[in-house]
Amino acid sequence: MQIAMIVAGVFFCAGAVAALYRVIRGPSLLDRVIASDVFVVTIMCVLATEMAFSSHTETLPVLLVLGAFAFVGSVSFARFMAKQDQT
Amino acid sequence: MSPDPGGRRISARSQIVLLCGLVLLWCLLWGQFTVLSVVSGAILAVVISIVFYLPAIDLSGRINLWHTAVFLVRLIVDICRASIDVAWLVIDPRYQPSSAILAIALDTRSDLIMTWTAEAISLVPGSIVVDVDRQESVLYVHVINVKTGDDLDDFRASVFATEKRLVMAIGSPADVWRVNQPNELTRSARRGKN
Amino acid sequence: MTGEGIREIITVGLVLVSSLMCFAAGVGLMRFPDVLSRLHAATKPQILGLMAVTAAIAVNNATIGTFALLTAIIIFQALTAPITAHMVGRAAYRSDHLRRDLLIQDELSVSVDRVEQGNVATAPGGTPPEGPTQDDRPSGEQYS
């Protein structure tokens, strides 16, 4: 159990760091949007993992709200990009 | 509003189905199915559908539970398989990036079926709907990891299979008839035009 | 006691699947060459990772309320992830954020060219009237 938690944590961290790297480096705005989306989903997965390991459900609404914010953010960015580039 | 009573009855029925969906979602959010949550959900659903008015959806009025179950199970299986494929692709050091954008002309003329097909295709990793031609029912799909023409044909076939499962589940009788025709000919003709 | 052990093993397995998916998404973001390919890498943890980890919660905490909320989360993600992907992909294609040399076939450019040629006199560079592939059709499509 302990080992599994550590392994999962390492994978989650690596994924989040890679997403952050893409947010910082990303050549275009769309890369950053995608990467921040992945970052938010990784956070959701980590929260859910914590819930699964300690058998409580207190942060479930947080998952829902995070998902909603990620969706609204990405879509508004994508729409803004599409408008801007129709010159 | 259409003047004929039949049309209005159909749209009222699909309105009610959608309202029920909203109430169900509200109950799911609260995590309880009590009288209070159902009543408050119904009030909220009516208020929302009046305030945020959306164009009415054309439900076909036909639903086949068995085919719906087949569609959902197959969707989940596809998601799992394709996720593992794409994950392997990411790790594989010899991977040469190569992708394609395909125009896929669907058989259906229903907005709802087209939307759900696009949704299902995008949900499965490895393919994303980039653009849609609503008049012609054409989906422009970006596919990853295709190398040869055979891969493209395989992918087209899988999209048509998805559409067929979906139409068998909730499509109108006309669509069911159209999907069950052995019409590779018409498909390739339309594909050539696009 | 054995039931407890089995549950623990299932939880660990599901969580590991989810963490591997998130890891693969991150690596995919680093490795893939253009926006559309990265989009493929990004949709993966959103679906399978989240499904696995919510299943782990459900295994640990089997009440109606939890199931209901988890179903809502999954449905919500499954509905919104493709919309996000589609919007970002469309914006990427419009603004040329993709490497055409990696495409072995591009059938969208053919119809875009056709529409643009057909309307070059009426709407130069603007919004072609009969071009549903061009402008606001897809954004209306997701509501209909």
Side-chain angles (χ1 to χ4, degrees):
Chain A
M1 194 73 170
Q2 287 292 327
I3 299 167
M5 275 170 84
I6 292 171
V7 171
V10 167
F11 278 133
F12 278 133
C13 279
V17 168
L20 267 185
Y21 167 82
R22 191 45 82 190
V23 171
I24 295 165
R25 263 292 309 281
S28 73
L29 188 59
L30 285 169
D31 284 308
R32 297 195 168 98
V33 171
I34 298 169
S36 60
D37 218 29
V38 171
F39 190 62
V40 170
V41 175
T42 311
I43 292 174
M44 288 170 73
C45 285
V46 170
L47 281 176
T49 304
E50 191 268 327
M51 264 188 285
F53 275 142
S54 50
S55 291
H56 68 91
T57 55
E58 262 115 57
T59 37
L60 271 185
V62 181
L63 290 194
L64 207 63
V65 172
L66 271 182
F69 270 109
F71 168 64
V72 172
S74 306
V75 167
S76 44
F77 259 108
R79 276 206 73 87
F80 173 68
M81 284 289 291
K83 282 249 171 60
Q84 191 190 37
D85 285 313
Q86 270 171 14
T87 48
Chain B
M1 277 297 154
S2 60
D4 63 314
R8 206 179 306 158
R9 197 175 62 234
I10 289 172
S11 83
R13 200 177 58 184
S14 50
Q15 204 77 27
I16 285 172
V17 171
L18 295 177
L19 282 183
C20 287
L22 281 177
V23 174
L24 185 66
L25 185 64
W26 181 251
C27 291
L28 285 178
L29 283 179
W30 278 102
Q32 55 187 12
F33 294 91
T34 56
V35 178
L36 181 64
S37 67
V38 170
V39 170
S40 59
I43 293 171
L44 214 69
V46 170
V47 169
I48 283 177
S49 51
I50 289 171
V51 173
F52 300 102
Y53 176 75
L54 288 177
I57 296 181
D58 248 352
L59 291 181
S60 68
R62 177 187 156 276
I63 182 164
N64 184 321
L65 288 179
W66 163 245
H67 283 293
T68 310
V70 168
F71 171 72
L72 288 178
V73 170
R74 187 60 204 270
L75 183 63
I76 292 174
V77 170
D78 276 352
I79 288 174
C80 293
R81 223 189 38 215
S83 293
I84 294 166
D85 278 357
V86 179
W88 170 244
L89 217 61
V90 167
I91 313 279
D92 190 1
R94 286 160 306 161
Y95 167 60
Q96 294 290 326
S98 129
S99 44
I101 294 183
L102 296 181
I104 297 182
L106 297 180
D107 277 332
T108 180
R109 281 291 169 273
S110 146
D111 281 347
L112 187 66
I113 300 283
M114 206 171 80
T115 312
W116 277 102
T117 311
E119 187 99 17
I121 294 170
S122 302
L123 203 50
V124 172
S127 50
I128 284 172
V129 176
V130 176
D131 221 325
V132 178
D133 185 341
R134 186 174 160 199
Q135 244 88 55
E136 304 272 330
S137 289
V138 178
L139 301 178
Y140 295 93
V141 188
H142 182 262
V143 208
I144 201 173
N145 191 28
V146 282
K147 302 243 187 302
T148 59
D150 284 349
D151 291 346
L152 299 183
D153 286 343
D154 286 352
F155 179 74
R156 264 187 235 276
S158 78
V159 171
F160 288 138
T162 306
E163 187 206 2
K164 182 170 177 179
R165 281 196 295 275
L166 192 56
V167 167
M168 294 304 279
I170 57 170
S172 62
D175 270 342
V176 172
W177 179 82
R178 215 175 292 152
V179 160
N180 280 317
Q181 294 301 107
N183 54 355
E184 289 303 317
L185 260 179
T186 58
R187 266 174 184 155
S188 52
R190 252 190 285 155
R191 203 189 302 157
K193 199 186 71 180
N194 282 301
Chain C
M1 202 56 211
T2 50
E4 195 71 16
I6 290 171
R7 201 162 66 187
E8 210 156 82
I9 289 170
I10 293 175
T11 310
V12 166
L14 288 172
V15 164
L16 280 182
V17 167
S18 163
S19 65
L20 274 176
M21 282 299 142
C22 285
F23 176 67
V27 176
L29 280 180
M30 303 250 286
R31 276 196 64 196
F32 280 0
D34 65 343
V35 173
L36 281 176
S37 316
R38 284 181 200 136
L39 206 50
H40 287 290
T43 45
K44 174 159 31 74
Q46 290 184 332
I47 305 306
L48 190 63
L50 213 61
M51 267 180 0
V53 85
T54 46
I57 295 177
V59 165
N60 271 285
N61 217 317
T63 60
I64 299 258
T66 318
F67 272 134
L69 204 49
L70 290 179
T71 321
I73 290 175
I74 290 291
I75 291 176
F76 190 75
Q77 270 295 323
L79 286 180
T80 56
I83 297 175
T84 313
H86 165 69
M87 297 294 291
V88 175
R90 200 165 64 106
Y93 193 89
R94 295 290 154 74
S95 50
D96 266 339
H97 278 115
L98 76 167
R99 290 182 42 191
R100 291 181 197 277
D101 53 321
L102 297 180
L103 294 176
I104 62 173
Q105 194 161 3
D106 185 359
E107 292 172 352
L108 180 53
S109 71
V110 176
S111 40
V112 167
D113 285 347
R114 202 186 54 205
V115 167
E116 273 170 0
Q117 273 167 14
N119 291 283
V120 103
T122 52
T127 61
E130 57 160 68
T133 57
Q134 276 284 307
D135 273 305
D136 42 21
R137 278 296 192 181
S139 57
E141 172 266 339
Q142 74 198 18
Y143 296 115
S144 59

